[in-house]
Amino acid sequence: MIAARQRVHHALDAVGPEFSGLLLDICCFLKGLEDIERERAWPARSGKVVLQLALDRLARHYGFASVARGPASSRVRTWLADDGGFSADSS
């Protein structure tokens, strides 16, 4: 339990004081964005933008890239045998 609490504190320290309160409200206290916007007197739909920035900073803390990377063309997986294939031939 102590280790989990330390990990949460490290993550909140990494995102900074401007985003840590928002992340706590959303993730821990399960408040909705509309409620947070109302409580903090933010303009409508601005919470979504701020949450996106907070999650981006949290992802950076955990080492996740902002853009997904992978093979340019992945192998397509099917239930067919290795030598099987589809045919457009109607005969």
Side-chain angles (χ1 to χ4, degrees):
M1 186 169 79
I2 293 171
R5 180 175 284 161
Q6 288 174 340
R7 287 191 302 270
V8 169
H9 282 290
H10 287 300
L12 292 176
D13 289 342
V15 299
E18 42 300 307
F19 296 127
S20 60
L22 175 68
L23 287 174
L24 276 175
D25 284 345
I26 293 285
C27 299
C28 298
F29 300 121
L30 303 177
K31 291 184 179 181
L33 281 176
E34 296 85 13
D35 297 330
I36 293 171
E37 290 169 350
R38 196 175 323 106
E39 289 173 1
R40 298 175 185 205
W42 289 353
R45 294 177 297 282
S46 63
K48 183 177 179 180
V49 174
V50 178
L51 179 60
Q52 185 176 6
L53 293 170
L55 291 173
D56 186 47
R57 196 171 288 183
L58 188 62
R60 190 179 321 142
H61 166 71
Y62 284 112
F64 296 120
S66 61
V67 177
R69 293 189 177 93
S73 59
S74 297
R75 191 174 92 102
V76 176
R77 297 179 187 185
T78 67
W79 289 99
L80 297 174
D82 289 338
D83 59 348
F86 292 105
S87 174
D89 186 23
S90 62
S91 55

